[in-house]
Amino acid sequence: MMNEFDHRVLGAKYDLFSFFEEGPGFPVWHEKGLRIKNALIEFWRKLHAESGYVEIQSPIMLDKELWKRSGHCDYFEENMYFSSVDKRDFAIKPMNCPGAILVFNQKKRSHAELPLRICELGHVHRHENSGSLHGLMRVRSFVQDDAHIFCNRNQLLQEIKDVIRLIEKIMNQCGLKDYHFELSLRGGEKEYLGSDEDWAMAEGKLEEALRDLNYSVKKNPGEAKFYGPSLDLHLKDVHGRSWQCSSVQLDFNLPKRFNVHYFDEKGERQVPYMLHRAIYGSLERFIGILLENYGKDLPFWFHPVQYKILNIAEESREYSLRVASVLRNKGFKVELDLSDRPLKEKIRRAHDELIHSLIIIGKKEMESGNIVMRSLKGEDQKVIALNALQFDDFS
């Protein structure tokens, strides 16, 4: 049953996103929804830059032969979209891996460049059964915060542990603490690429990283991807449901398939190991989880309307406009109410909207150069000089 903590209800009520019959499973983001999405992306980019990643953007559509070579057409073709241009077959990317490989292979690589961490906010498309579509939680078009790390065997363990620490930072920033990791291993009747020795090494490295960071190890035989085992974060939402978000996958197959190599200290060709990893996973699904966890009380840092300015006097109208301009230049997300409605009505309306804090401006504030700021989470009220306002005053 839909309720106030259903992200679909919140998305419609607060004008965040829409779905249309013309594109089932393809979300359309509105301005306020994009503010949330872009805040998460901005934080993600900051952390990745600090962690030594380089960001790329690969095409949405690439030659189908690339996806045959990668093995995706063998294992995933029924979930892919295709097109034909100039008598040449193309696939709309369901994953970002080949783009990172093309970038790695576009020039000669030295051992001194490893580990090379290539990240991408890739827009991917996967065909989901229409009956399984569910708001942002199950879509056919989404942004995946991918990264592909090329390294040698001696660097593997440290890189896996660094990814886990990066996951911890992002989950902590988003206020998400109810999660655990599971190991997806080879098993059952499925077909897998690679040798038994490769699989034993890869599964061992992922388990060792977990144990070194004092996480318990839950193993899921038969759940590994066709190209390698994975370490998956399972996040519990406010409804008690579990969602698989972050993932670290160790791949020893694609580098061989695409002739990926670097030159070691002796000038000899070596094949690197490749880590696939995502943290938000699907950015759309992650936002759906955040909306349902927080309802309308979203944290300040990714709130779509951090301040709403309520002007209460005709004389202060121009000052209110100037305050809005100053705040926007500082990076805040601001809306204005310049109507002549009574203050009580303006405040009541603000309570019914997705607003974090109010700024009340009248003749007194205009003359003093101050603003009155009130959080809608409580009755806290502050009088602050406009030039002294900081980003974390109500964070």
Side-chain angles (χ1 to χ4, degrees):
M1 187 173 74
M2 294 174 69
N3 57 46
E4 64 179 7
F5 284 95
D6 187 311
H7 76 281
R8 295 167 296 180
V9 173
L10 294 163
K13 183 175 182 179
Y14 299 119
D15 195 24
L16 304 178
F17 56 85
S18 295
F19 288 90
F20 298 94
E21 282 300 319
E22 292 82 355
F26 298 92
V28 175
W29 287 98
H30 302 183
E31 181 185 9
K32 288 183 181 177
L34 274 179
R35 291 175 187 171
I36 297 174
K37 192 174 185 179
N38 288 336
L40 293 172
I41 288 172
E42 183 180 342
F43 177 68
W44 183 93
R45 282 192 164 127
K46 176 178 180 292
L47 275 189
H48 281 71
E50 293 171 353
S51 301
Y53 285 77
V54 294
E55 185 177 354
I56 65 166
Q57 186 176 77
S58 62
I60 288 178
M61 191 166 69
L62 291 164
D63 194 305
K64 186 177 179 180
E65 290 301 317
L66 187 73
W67 303 97
K68 288 181 178 179
R69 187 175 180 185
S70 69
H72 286 97
C73 281
D74 293 333
Y75 293 87
F76 204 71
E77 188 165 7
E78 69 276 9
N79 298 107
M80 295 172 66
Y81 295 100
F82 297 94
S83 183
S84 182
V85 181
D86 294 334
K87 298 181 180 180
R88 185 176 178 184
D89 292 330
F90 290 85
I92 298 174
K93 66 177 180 179
M95 300 172 188
N96 299 299
C97 332
I101 291 173
L102 290 176
V103 169
F104 187 96
N105 278 350
Q106 53 96 24
K107 67 178 183 179
K108 184 178 179 180
R109 299 288 182 179
S110 162
H111 65 93
E113 296 179 72
L114 303 185
L116 180 58
R117 309 177 187 101
I118 300 175
C119 64
E120 177 175 13
L121 293 156
H123 191 182
V124 300
H125 293 73
R126 300 177 187 176
H127 180 69
E128 298 282 355
N129 184 286
S130 59
S132 67
L133 299 176
H134 178 75
L136 296 177
M137 301 302 201
R138 182 77 69 177
V139 292
R140 291 170 170 168
S141 169
F142 59 94
V143 172
Q144 190 172 44
D145 66 316
D146 256 334
H148 296 85
I149 301 170
F150 299 87
C151 62
N152 63 42
R153 184 165 181 160
N154 292 334
Q155 296 166 334
L156 266 177
L157 181 60
Q158 187 60 51
E159 290 302 309
I160 295 168
K161 289 160 72 170
D162 286 347
V163 170
I164 295 173
R165 292 189 181 101
L166 197 56
I167 291 171
E168 292 171 338
K169 287 180 181 179
I170 288 181
M171 293 300 154
N172 184 62
Q173 176 73 10
C174 293
L176 301 172
K177 303 184 185 303
D178 195 355
Y179 63 82
H180 68 277
F181 289 98
E182 297 184 9
L183 274 173
S184 294
L185 308 175
R186 186 174 60 160
E189 302 298 321
K190 293 167 63 175
E191 294 184 17
Y192 297 93
L193 303 175
S195 68
D196 291 342
E197 181 183 359
D198 286 335
W199 278 87
M201 183 280 299
E203 291 173 349
K205 291 291 184 184
L206 292 172
E207 182 172 350
E208 186 179 357
L210 274 184
R211 294 192 185 282
D212 284 354
L213 296 176
N214 299 313
Y215 282 98
S216 59
V217 178
K218 180 180 179 183
K219 299 181 180 181
N220 295 322
E223 294 298 318
K225 305 295 187 296
F226 65 89
Y227 50 76
S230 65
L231 178 61
D232 305 312
L233 177 141
H234 292 260
L235 174 67
K236 187 175 289 186
D237 69 13
V238 70
H239 307 293
R241 300 172 304 192
S242 182
W243 299 97
Q244 194 256 297
C245 295
S246 308
S247 182
V248 189
Q249 301 163 9
L250 205 163
D251 187 343
F252 35 76
N253 284 293
L254 285 186
K256 295 176 182 176
R257 284 183 168 229
F258 283 92
N259 193 29
V260 179
H261 61 274
Y262 65 95
F263 291 90
D264 64 16
E265 296 90 334
K266 298 178 181 179
E268 297 177 353
R269 288 165 60 111
Q270 301 292 341
V271 177
Y273 289 91
M274 181 177 177
L275 288 172
H276 304 247
R277 49 113 293 203
I279 299 180
Y280 293 133
S282 159
L283 203 50
E284 278 68 11
R285 176 183 292 176
F286 196 81
I287 290 172
I289 293 170
L290 289 175
L291 288 174
E292 297 198 348
N293 275 20
Y294 286 105
K296 63 181 291 186
D297 296 323
L298 297 175
F300 182 84
W301 70 275
F302 66 78
H303 209 287
V305 187
Q306 293 166 327
Y307 295 113
K308 185 159 190 178
I309 297 172
L310 308 183
N311 181 64
I312 59 174
E314 182 60 32
E315 305 98 301
S316 58
R317 180 185 178 89
E318 291 303 317
Y319 180 63
S320 292
L321 289 168
R322 186 160 69 85
V323 170
S325 178
V326 169
L327 293 176
R328 286 169 178 158
N329 287 336
K330 287 176 176 283
F332 295 108
K333 305 178 190 80
V334 180
E335 291 187 352
L336 282 135
D337 184 346
L338 300 174
S339 70
D340 57 2
R341 287 188 291 266
L343 178 59
K344 284 187 178 180
E345 184 179 345
K346 290 186 177 188
I347 292 175
R348 179 177 57 78
R349 285 172 176 254
H351 275 279
D352 292 335
E353 300 171 353
L354 191 61
I355 306 294
H356 187 279
S357 298
L358 298 176
I359 291 176
I360 302 171
I361 294 177
K363 184 178 179 182
K364 178 181 176 181
E365 288 72 33
M366 177 189 69
E367 292 174 345
S368 66
N370 293 334
I371 57 175
V372 176
M373 189 166 58
R374 178 188 299 176
S375 169
L376 288 187
K377 290 183 179 180
E379 296 303 319
D380 295 337
Q381 184 165 303
K382 297 180 181 180
V383 177
I384 300 175
L386 178 60
N387 59 11
L389 186 66
Q390 300 296 319
F391 194 82
D392 59 355
D393 277 320
F394 263 120
S395 60

